[in-house]
Amino acid sequence: MSDTKIFLQEKDIPRQWYNLAADLPTPLLPPLGPGGKPVTPDMLAPVFPMNLIELEVSTERWIDIPEEILQLLYLWRPTPLYRAHRLEEFLGTPARIYYKNEGVSPPGSHKPNTAIPQAWYNKQFGIQRMTTETGAGQWGSALAFACGLLGLECKVFMVRISYDQKPYRRLMMETWGATCTPSPSEETQAGKQILAKNPDTPGSLGIAISEAIEAAVTDQSGKTRYSLGSVLNHVLLHQSIIGLEAKKQLKKAGEKKVDVVIGCAGGGSNFAGTAFPFVADKIAGAKIDIIPVEPTSCPTMTRAPFAYDHGDTAEMTPLLPMHTLGHSFVPPPIHAGGLRYHGMAPLVSQAIVEGLLAPRAYGQLTCYEAAITWAKTEGFISAPETSHAIAAVIDEAKKAKQEGKEKVILFNWSGHGLMDLTGYESYLRGKLVDYPLPEKEMANSLTAIKGLPKAEARKSGKW
Amino acid sequence: MSDTKIFLQEKDIPRQWYNLAADLPTPLLPPLGPGGKPVTPDMLAPVFPMNLIELEVSTERWIDIPEEILQLLYLWRPTPLYRAHRLEEFLGTPARIYYKNEGVSPPGSHKPNTAIPQAWYNKQFGIQRMTTETGAGQWGSALAFACGLLGLECKVFMVRISYDQKPYRRLMMETWGATCTPSPSEETQAGKQILAKNPDTPGSLGIAISEAIEAAVTDQSGKTRYSLGSVLNHVLLHQSIIGLEAKKQLKKAGEKKVDVVIGCAGGGSNFAGTAFPFVADKIAGAKIDIIPVEPTSCPTMTRAPFAYDHGDTAEMTPLLPMHTLGHSFVPPPIHAGGLRYHGMAPLVSQAIVEGLLAPRAYGQLTCYEAAITWAKTEGFISAPETSHAIAAVIDEAKKAKQEGKEKVILFNWSGHGLMDLTGYESYLRGKLVDYPLPEKEMANSLTAIKGLPKAEARKSGKW
């Protein structure tokens, strides 16, 4: 039997990030600021350090990874590529299933792939303190980890209800030296206003983003900046190391082609990081099915228009061109907190419009069933977000069996679920429910972007 | 800078376990049964399958690892050997510090190294159901994982107070399909008797062991056996894969010798698994300091006599020759639950008596301080047990600095602490205390074993 794990040596780690913006058939639409005008780098300067803004707007195909960042990534990268022998056997599929194990990072997910570079670029720029928000806690703990290693202060606004329900996530952040504050808080004007109206609010990601941005831009020392863990171009860029490693590892495993690439998508960063290097091959003519997977209860990609919308509830961010359910959309309380976002990364959204991706949605019951199968075959307990990718992998493997085809399937096992076991409890006790949304809620007031580049791609039926 | 991680390919995994019983300068003393007579294999047959009993009593130096077990171990083994570059830099030490990362296993510790073989041997013997006990939950979740992969039923008696305080550990076990019952329970005579006397008891490991053994031996089908996660010879044997891998990896890293080997020791299995292959070198003449580390509050190795004692509180097990605080000793409630055991593995105990090991004890405040340093340098959050090894590593690295010696230090990072963060919370809030024990509590009623083989070794001052 071939190896279960394919390792890369550190000397073989990718030394450049891949930027899909360079290869998209049409140029990426710009974010829009007040008055509907494109946002300039200067306008973002109070929020992000200029060296990261340069990455955000770059259209260079390859961007060098600084050596010091590589040295930090070596704490867990390159991550192993696994062959899912036991799942294949269980399904009786002729497909060969491979997965990147991003759960081996200290915080347990793919998030530090961007947290480390973000903290490093901020430090290079002279920043001493970073602020961010976190919902379920994956991102907050990743940034706390990165700041802990680099000696930066880190302030995380954590959605109140998660702060109360997930004390372990908060404790992870504190162990790495971060300060974690329940949001809304009395520390910002945004937080105070919400608390004045509704002292018992459970909070929301939208509110927490507003507080984190305010805490950064109002610091008079100029030494504080804000950080976002998904959606933006530079975040997806940092994550491309996943797919680039996977390519080398698949080659090492003797695979000459990939047929299917799968990742779960909330804001889009782990999916994009895994898939974009293969999207490049697809643009160049390769035949690959590339599938971002979302929850049926927050069907950004499969049911929402491609439109300009704010990234946050409080309308503090620029308007971003994305598949969006509307920034006031409140997704049902599914356990995959990382997939409860109203929008989708502009780069992923535009790749959908271009007909390069084939998004798919699953209900959480199907996903937990897939996660239990995974735990009893491959052994690992998956994050609820990751279970969405597994559900799609199982379907694709069954399809390969029906078709009698030896397909090669790659997906990103984006993180472990050890901090998220209450969802498993609900499922195992038969208390978990799906949240089918009525059709009318999907139609929001946003106007779809018109005059789309290569709009005919939208008629291909692939999205 | 040299690599942070040294991998082994699966084809280079050790294919035999190492058995120190073959090399100890004096034969291992036997366990004693009723009437003080040595226990025979037949007497253990209702408790363990005969193929494991054969391993337990074997004095063969090398024992082949069945190929099917290797295939299962490949899910996470060989584990990476890490070079602790960032800790070395932080300490300014000339020492080169290496650690095995056993946290990459699906349950997050070294425990599945024996859970998988135990479940496999049981299944080979026709056993369909396994019982065990668990305190903090590391062992219970490892056996649940192994049984889940092999399709065996698994029944875990979990100490009541941990069952209530650590719902995530219980949920891990249930995710892999195990049944987890708070102990004492109404399901056994032992449990019923305790509950009749004290309905509100928080339970203890001793009670849970009694229940798990009773549940195995009273199953009339004959298809149930009991499993222990440390202490016994066959458990230490299975763990030897850690040290054997480390040897190959150190060689790959260009190291010609090792100066110091360190592991935390509760029952002794992760320490022994790491250290015994190096103890063999020491017996053959190599100069190595080999340091098992325990808590000052449960100082089995550093303060207790070498004596025959029961392995459990209820006196259901044979008498084992070991360093023991007495089977009625109740250690203070330190967070390192896995180090709260009154005895020490007979093989480790006898190696101490032989002067081969230099045990050391640390208070938990020192250990948490070491764990925070670790989290901010090496990035990983350590299990409270593992933090004891880290405390000793830091001391040895400082010593090397004082001496100006380029020592090579190896230790076992036995597991992550993501399920044990409440200890970190207490430490960070300044609420954690040490538990120095008064001298008189150390002197128990046990009679030290006399006429020890090579008793002069005890005078060498090495223990």
Side-chain angles (χ1 to χ4, degrees), chain A residues 5 10 74-75 77 82, chain B residues 5 10 74-75 77 82:
Chain A
K5 299 178 299 303
E10 288 166 16
Y74 290 152
L75 284 175
R77 301 209 74 87
Y82 271 68
Chain B
K5 301 178 298 301
E10 288 166 17
Y74 289 152
L75 284 174
R77 299 209 79 85
Y82 271 68

Side-chain angles (χ1 to χ4, degrees), chain A residues 295 297-298 331-337 339-340 364 388 433 435:
Chain A
S297 55
C298 190
I334 56 167
H335 284 278
L339 304 185
R340 293 180 69 242
Q364 66 176 352
H388 288 69
V433 294
Y435 297 95

Side-chain angles (χ1 to χ4, degrees), chain A residues 134-406:
Chain A
T134 200
Q138 286 277 22
W139 168 242
S141 51
L143 191 66
F145 157 74
C147 288
L149 292 186
L150 284 159
L152 297 175
E153 277 185 67
C154 181
K155 169 84 171 178
V156 181
F157 290 90
M158 186 171 188
V159 175
R160 175 92 235 180
I161 190 167
S162 296
Y163 182 92
D164 292 337
Q165 287 177 345
K166 298 198 172 190
Y168 274 32
R169 276 283 173 205
R170 171 173 57 80
L171 290 172
M172 283 175 80
M173 300 181 222
E174 291 178 357
T175 298
W176 283 307
T179 309
C180 182
T181 304
S183 168
S185 76
E186 295 283 353
E187 295 181 22
T188 65
Q189 291 305 320
K192 280 181 192 171
Q193 285 173 13
I194 303 274
L195 285 173
K197 286 185 204 162
N198 185 358
D200 298 325
T201 175
S204 76
L205 207 49
I207 298 167
I209 293 177
S210 304
E211 289 204 84
I213 295 177
E214 183 185 326
V217 300
T218 58
D219 178 2
Q220 297 303 318
S221 75
K223 299 293 188 189
T224 301
R225 290 295 183 280
Y226 167 74
S227 170
L228 192 65
S230 190
V231 179
L232 299 180
N233 302 345
H234 68 278
V235 180
L236 276 54
L237 178 80
H238 297 154
Q239 294 290 357
S240 67
I241 198 164
I242 303 172
L244 294 168
E245 283 181 8
K247 271 196 175 184
K248 291 190 174 195
Q249 288 163 310
L250 284 167
K251 195 175 169 188
K252 213 172 157 187
E255 299 296 355
K256 291 189 175 58
K257 65 174 181 63
V258 181
D259 299 290
V260 186
V261 178
I262 293 170
C264 61
S269 75
N270 102 74
F271 164 74
T274 311
F276 280 3
F278 297 93
V279 171
D281 295 343
K282 185 163 182 168
I283 291 170
K287 194 178 168 323
I288 313 176
D289 292 328
I290 304 178
I291 306 171
V293 186
E294 66 186 5
T296 48
S297 55
C298 190
T300 316
M301 300 180 290
T302 54
R303 303 274 293 275
F306 180 61
Y308 267 110
D309 192 14
H310 291 285
D312 69 320
T313 317
E315 307 185 357
M316 290 184 73
T317 76
L319 289 163
L320 300 171
M322 56 185 182
H323 279 280
T324 172
L325 294 156
H327 62 272
S328 60
F329 178 78
V330 179
I334 56 167
H335 284 278
L339 304 185
R340 293 180 69 242
Y341 184 64
H342 68 274
M344 179 52 59
L347 274 168
V348 174
S349 295
Q350 199 156 327
I352 293 171
V353 174
E354 299 277 6
L356 295 165
L357 312 178
R360 193 181 292 182
Y362 287 92
Q364 66 176 352
L365 282 169
T366 304
C367 297
Y368 275 99
E369 185 186 348
I372 295 288
T373 297
W374 186 262
K376 291 190 182 172
T377 52
E378 294 300 309
F380 292 96
I381 295 178
S382 311
E385 292 82 4
T386 311
S387 73
H388 288 69
I390 298 171
V393 166
I394 290 176
D395 275 357
E396 287 297 308
K398 286 180 178 172
K399 189 176 151 197
K401 186 179 180 181
Q402 285 162 359
E403 298 173 346
K405 286 185 184 169
E406 279 194 27

Side-chain angles (χ1 to χ4, degrees), chain B residues 359-431:
Chain B
R360 192 180 294 182
Y362 286 93
Q364 66 177 352
L365 282 170
T366 304
C367 296
Y368 274 100
E369 186 187 350
I372 295 288
T373 297
W374 186 262
K376 291 189 183 173
T377 52
E378 294 299 310
F380 292 96
I381 295 179
S382 311
E385 293 81 3
T386 311
S387 73
H388 287 69
I390 297 171
V393 167
I394 290 176
D395 276 356
E396 286 298 308
K398 286 179 179 171
K399 189 176 152 198
K401 185 181 180 180
Q402 285 162 359
E403 299 173 346
K405 286 185 184 169
E406 280 193 27
K407 286 186 180 176
V408 174
I409 301 172
L410 167 72
F411 85 102
N412 189 30
W413 194 78
S414 54
H416 67 64
L418 299 184
M419 316 305 278
D420 308 278
L421 286 163
T422 50
Y424 282 87
E425 177 163 46
S426 299
Y427 175 76
L428 292 168
R429 302 271 185 281
K431 290 181 182 168

